[in-house]
Amino acid sequence: MASQQRDYEASTLSFHQEEEEQPSGRDSPKCSLCPCLTYKDKDTGPSSGFYARSMVLGWLCCSCLSLEALHSNTTERCMPRGEPPKPGSSVASTSAEEPCTQPHSQDDSENSGARPGKAPLCFGWVMGVMIRCMLHMWSVILYLRLPWITAQAGIGSKFFLISRSLGPELGSSIGIIFAFANSVAVAMHTVGFAETLLDLLRDHKVQLLNIDPENELQVVGMVIVTILLGVALASVEWESKAQIIFFFLILLSFINYLLGTLLPTNPSRQATGFFGYQGSILLENMVPQWRGPEGSFFGMFSIFFSSATGLLTGTNISEDLKDPATAIPKGTLLAIMWTTLSYLGISATIGSCMIRDASGNMTDMGVWNGSCLGPECQYGWDFSSCRERGSCLYGLSNHYQAMSMVSAFSPLTSAGVFCAALSSALSCFVSAPKVFQWLCQDKLYPVIGFFGKGYGKKHEPLRGYLFTFLIAVGFILTGDLNTIAAIISNFYLCSYALVNFGCFHASLSQSPGWRPSFCWYSPWLSLLGSLLCLLIMFLLNWWAALIAVLLILLLLFYAFHKKPDVNRGSSVQVGTYRMALSYLVSLTNVQDHVKNFRPQCLVLTGPPSQRPALVDFVGALTKKTSLMICGNVVLEPQAIQESENHVNWLNVRKIRSFYTVISAPRLRSGAQSLMQVAGLGQLKPNLLVLGYKQNWQEVQISAVEDYVGILHDALDYNYGVCILRMPGGLSPATQHQAQVSLHRQPQTLFQSRQGWRTVDVYWLSDDGGLTMLIPYLLTHTQKWARCPVRVFVSSPREQLEDKHKEIHSLLRRFSLGFQHVTVLPELTGKPQETSQKAFEDLVALHWLQKPPPKGNLESTSLNTPAPSGYISEQDLQANQKQSEWHMCLHEVLRQYSQDAALIVMSLPLIPRSACPGALYMTWLEMLSRGLTSPIAFIHGKQQDLLTTYCQ
């Protein structure tokens, strides 16, 4: 073969060859647009005329031949480039917790220290939800601030306050804000307890030893919250038993209060402002009378709202309920009803029998100077002097212990205050750590994961209890119940706004999993409640509301940026799905346009972790703005189960790509299936990217035929094709197995900065511009931004200057930014002997029979067809010029691009049965062997991707 005489024609680089007589002897008609071309050299070089004839709209761009005409063996007439092939022309497609209803096993009970066979503690709707919510909402505000709020806001305004406080704010917690609000609520209830205790001690002239009176409240509060911590750490069962005792004591205190309002008055009680049920006092207290710096509707609202923060108490312990779906709505609604009636009843009764101001002095009885204007005047009392001086110590507006004064037995009312404070504080002490624990287990935010660890059989959040304790202590040190209540109101309003919006968003997403059972539920009411909560936040305290909103936005921004691996089935996911589906459906009516083209890649990566260079190459092209699908064809269906590991590997590598796996008996059949079914609607691949088959010389000939067949299939399915070859192969040297390791992230060429190394583009055939577009996209990434692009084209020697001007002008009109254009003259003469020897050695690996003696080519019959895939003498003679062209081009690459960062070259395009697969792989091997630079062979689908009319 080496001694064969080879007759080179003019300019094999430019493909503009004169018509030659074919071995088959059949006619070779010429194209009407390019009369110099026959069916053998249809793949023409770049010309500005192809793009000048492009139409402004759509893809109806006229070039010499379509992809179907180029890839087929027929000699069809020229058709518009971009026209889809006719039907039939393509290749035929070939650790969960135990439920409350299940008892613990004997072994588990022994390990946890519990009695064998003892069932876990579970609650029904009464004990688990209703009583807990009622105890939380019967807070110290009811005993210590409700009479004062009644004096400020009046009885008639009370209904408006409650209607705004107890809305449909039901659902789950919202994480940090709600947990923090519960922690601060512990401080509020503890301060209320300490305040009542100190008032009792002062009434009995008792002074705490060695404590500064100014710090008594803080010291007592810290002692109380420490005791609460011990009770919470003991167990939930202890806390539940204590709640039952608190509940009945509070009911007794209510009865005691109502009996006190019915008892006849006496001068000592009248001196403190209590005159029994009187219509005139009721009318006097119906209208508001604002006083002091907090004397406004929203000032009272901010304090009173904290009493309505127990709505989610039952939800917070949903894991301890027997039937949460039934217990939470039933218990919460009944708790709202009973607590609403109790608040309204106490406000109306105490507002009917006690006036706003009283001095407590018996000397003010019977004094009448004609100028008394207060409601007490008609009952023989005159508190005008203390009212004018602002020195009245008793009455609704001045004495926080008014309910104790009215009660039949004041110590029982004080006990009710203690129970309300302790029960609410315990409820918050149990709720806050659990909410915080759930948040920590999701690992949404850094550092706080330390507090998410659970202990014991029930995974009690002991560290969360300590964290809640520290927050409570910090706010107890302020010592001001009104300030703490206002802070809590702001955070709870923020929480409820998000809960309401969550309900609205879930309804808006129309998820089948969102099925609210509340018969009067309305998503628009939820939206209204969310907006009202947000509005009231700013009306109460605009700067505090602004801080809360900014904090929420900061937390949301961090969570969206981090993209944690947490799946809670949120309505955001449903909304994203519906939005994506809507956009995808709308794209079906949008025709492709050259202005909007972007490579949408189907990458045959196999397991992505085995070919990181191929993944990084395509990831640099798509840049998270285009479709990328990593496809894997497996021969064993069991391997499909490993998909999640590969997706995680891509995410860790920060590659935005889909991953799909298909089981098939052969690689080619699996690739055919992927190319036909990958994508959806207009969001489907248009470019097939695969790695160079490095071991093609060692595998069976059927594997080589399958590999080359995939290229033909891609062209038949109207795909562009890109083959990437790396000097050392696509797989890392240290990785020879399919096992995926998230920590194994090898560095590749496409992840490192290339400095000023060149990207050499050999634009040898015009495929619509894909060969030029790929380098443009790659050099617009941060790592490759400094790489200059050199464009190589070919032309006859007498047209070198004209061709240079034409291509340079065309690139400038494309606005690609490529300034370096080199026009190579036609190659004449023979390939070097080393290239010929290398070609012969490669051909010998898949030769049909032993090569004939030199000079005795007639010994082989040219009419004997070769078995599929093998190379025969007939194949060599029919493709002699193409083989010599590849050998010569290899010498050009070694001369110009040995040190390039990347070589991009037009992929040789041949008809489906023009040559065996082994010969085609020999051509690719001759082009790329011995190069120290990676090389990408690219061929588009004959649709103009670049046009001078788009600029």
Side-chain angles (χ1 to χ4, degrees), residues 772 789-793 803-809 811-812 818-824:
M772 301 297 294
V789 178
R790 301 190 302 179
V791 180
F792 295 84
V793 295
K803 192 67 174 180
H804 185 278
K805 292 181 180 180
E806 177 190 5
I807 298 301
H808 193 275
S809 174
L811 295 178
R812 185 178 65 253
F818 302 163
Q819 303 296 330
H820 304 277
V821 178
T822 301
V823 181
L824 301 174

Side-chain angles (χ1 to χ4, degrees), residues 29-38 42 44 50 53 62-67 69-70 74-81 83:
K30 300 178 181 179
C31 178
S32 59
L33 294 178
C34 303
C36 59
L37 300 181
T38 64
K42 300 171 185 174
T44 63
F50 296 155
R53 287 190 293 269
C62 184
S63 182
C64 186
L65 290 173
S66 67
L67 178 61
L70 287 172
T74 61
T75 57
E76 25 175 293
R77 298 180 59 83
C78 297
M79 64 178 65
R81 177 192 288 173
E83 181 176 318

Side-chain angles (χ1 to χ4, degrees), residues 143-148 257 261 269 272 274 350 353-355 394-407 413:
Y143 289 94
L144 303 183
R145 293 298 184 270
L146 184 60
W148 173 68
Y257 160 75
T261 61
R269 300 185 72 187
T272 60
F274 177 76
I350 200 167
C353 57
M354 179 171 281
I355 62 176
Y394 295 92
L396 296 177
S397 298
N398 308 292
H399 194 48
Y400 289 152
Q401 301 290 340
M403 284 188 63
S404 296
M405 295 174 53
V406 174
S407 301
T413 302

Side-chain angles (χ1 to χ4, degrees), residues 2 19 62 98 132 146 190 306 324 347 386 394 423 428 435 464 535 661-662 731 763 785 801 870 893 896 938 943:
E19 181 182 3
C62 184
E98 290 190 7
R132 286 179 177 273
L146 184 60
T190 303
S306 61
S347 177
C386 74
Y394 295 92
S423 64
C428 294
V435 174
L535 175 63
V661 60
I662 190 170
S731 301
W763 196 14
E801 185 176 352
Y870 287 97
L893 294 178
Y896 287 95
I938 298 175
Q943 288 181 342

Side-chain angles (χ1 to χ4, degrees), residues 8 12-15 762-765 792-794 824-825 827 831-832 835 881-897 903-908 923-924 926-929 931 935 937:
Y8 282 89
T12 57
L13 277 177
S14 64
F15 285 90
Y762 288 82
W763 196 14
L764 305 178
S765 63
F792 295 84
V793 295
S794 177
L824 301 174
L827 297 177
Q832 297 178 1
S835 298
K881 291 189 177 298
Q882 286 89 336
S883 300
E884 294 173 346
W885 176 81
H886 288 93
M887 286 184 275
C888 294
L889 183 55
H890 172 69
E891 298 167 3
V892 173
L893 294 178
R894 293 183 65 89
Q895 177 183 355
Y896 287 95
S897 303
I903 300 173
V904 178
M905 175 178 288
S906 300
L907 177 70
W923 293 346
L924 298 184
M926 283 302 303
L927 286 174
S928 56
R929 70 190 301 265
L931 297 177
I935 182 170
F937 298 101

